[in-house]
Amino acid sequence: MTIAKNAKPASRPRGRPRAFDRDEALAKAAETFWRLGYEGASIADLTAVMGITPQSLYSAFTSKADLYREALQWYQDHVGASTVAALAEGDAVIALTRLLSEAAEEFTKKGRPHGCMISTAVLTCATENEPVARHVSGLRGATLALIRARVERGIDEGQLSPGTDPEALARFVGAMIQGMSVQAQDGASRAALLALARHAVTEIERHRA
């Protein structure tokens, strides 16, 4: 076969990053962080499940830490929204009861990691990851503040005894949620966690006015 003298070699198409659905990729990253933890999830793990290159990850999300922060927000919006809904109940005891029972159900749902992505996340970490740990701690603190505010409202509205310690009761409920998250990760069933929640509700009922 002969080639014409003036023929030009075929030009290669310019490389372009493959387009991807950012929201879908974020959801997959969130589940990976949820399952493996912040330090446990490597860039290779994340890019594999997201179906993108490391370059695309950094281009879209800046850094692993920033991707994790977005993943935590995704979790709050899609899974943690049940907390806000439960605390919106008109009766304080019913609100806290629903919070605990729904936690038992959410933490043991099939087809996704067990436990809470935030309750027990980044409790210990390497020094360079301390900013991430502080961020997650702040999220836990914000949830605790929501629970305390609901307890205080319950006292003000005459649903809970005036002698109720809002801080102590809020921390009791928060500790139960954290404990349920750990037990769910260790394989506790929904029934086991619901039974645990019922014991906690018995304590909460003691504060009813």
Side-chain angles (χ1 to χ4, degrees):
M1 182 177 73
T2 60
I3 301 176
K5 291 182 180 180
N6 296 327
K8 294 182 180 180
S11 59
R12 291 182 179 179
R14 292 187 177 182
R16 292 181 58 189
R18 183 171 65 85
F20 67 95
D21 185 317
R22 193 179 189 282
D23 292 337
E24 182 180 338
L26 178 59
K28 291 179 178 178
E31 184 168 324
T32 302
F33 279 128
W34 188 358
R35 180 167 50 87
L36 301 178
Y38 177 71
E39 291 186 336
S42 67
I43 293 296
D45 292 325
L46 294 164
T47 53
V49 75
M50 295 165 79
I52 61 176
T53 64
Q55 181 182 0
S56 294
L57 184 152
Y58 289 118
S59 176
F61 300 99
T62 307
S63 68
K64 178 184 175 182
D66 286 333
L67 172 59
Y68 186 58
R69 290 186 181 93
E70 286 201 45
L72 290 168
Q73 186 60 54
W74 178 92
Y75 178 89
Q76 288 185 303
D77 292 342
H78 292 82
V79 181
S82 62
T83 296
V84 176
L87 294 176
E89 288 280 359
D91 180 87
V93 173
I94 292 175
L96 298 178
T97 298
R98 178 177 167 185
L99 179 63
L100 290 167
S101 62
E102 289 187 358
E105 294 176 1
E106 289 288 349
F107 294 172
T108 54
K109 277 191 175 177
K110 294 181 179 179
R112 69 185 194 191
H114 284 181
C116 175
M117 184 179 176
I118 297 174
S119 291
T120 50
V122 203
L123 296 176
T124 59
C125 65
T127 302
E128 63 268 23
N129 294 324
E130 286 180 356
V132 173
R134 287 194 296 271
H135 177 72
V136 182
S137 178
L139 296 179
R140 286 192 288 267
T143 298
L144 197 63
L146 286 176
I147 298 171
R148 174 173 177 155
R150 186 63 192 87
V151 172
E152 290 174 338
R153 179 183 151 199
I155 296 170
D156 292 342
E157 294 179 353
Q159 300 159 0
L160 297 174
S161 168
T164 300
D165 183 336
E167 178 73 11
L169 185 55
R171 287 193 176 277
F172 169 74
V173 173
M176 291 302 303
I177 290 172
Q178 285 183 298
M180 289 164 67
S181 175
V182 171
Q183 293 194 25
Q185 291 171 4
D186 285 344
S189 67
R190 178 177 302 185
L193 294 188
L194 285 172
L196 184 60
R198 285 193 293 272
H199 280 290
V201 170
T202 299
E203 173 61 27
I204 294 169
E205 286 278 4
R206 291 180 54 250
H207 298 277
R208 187 182 281 283

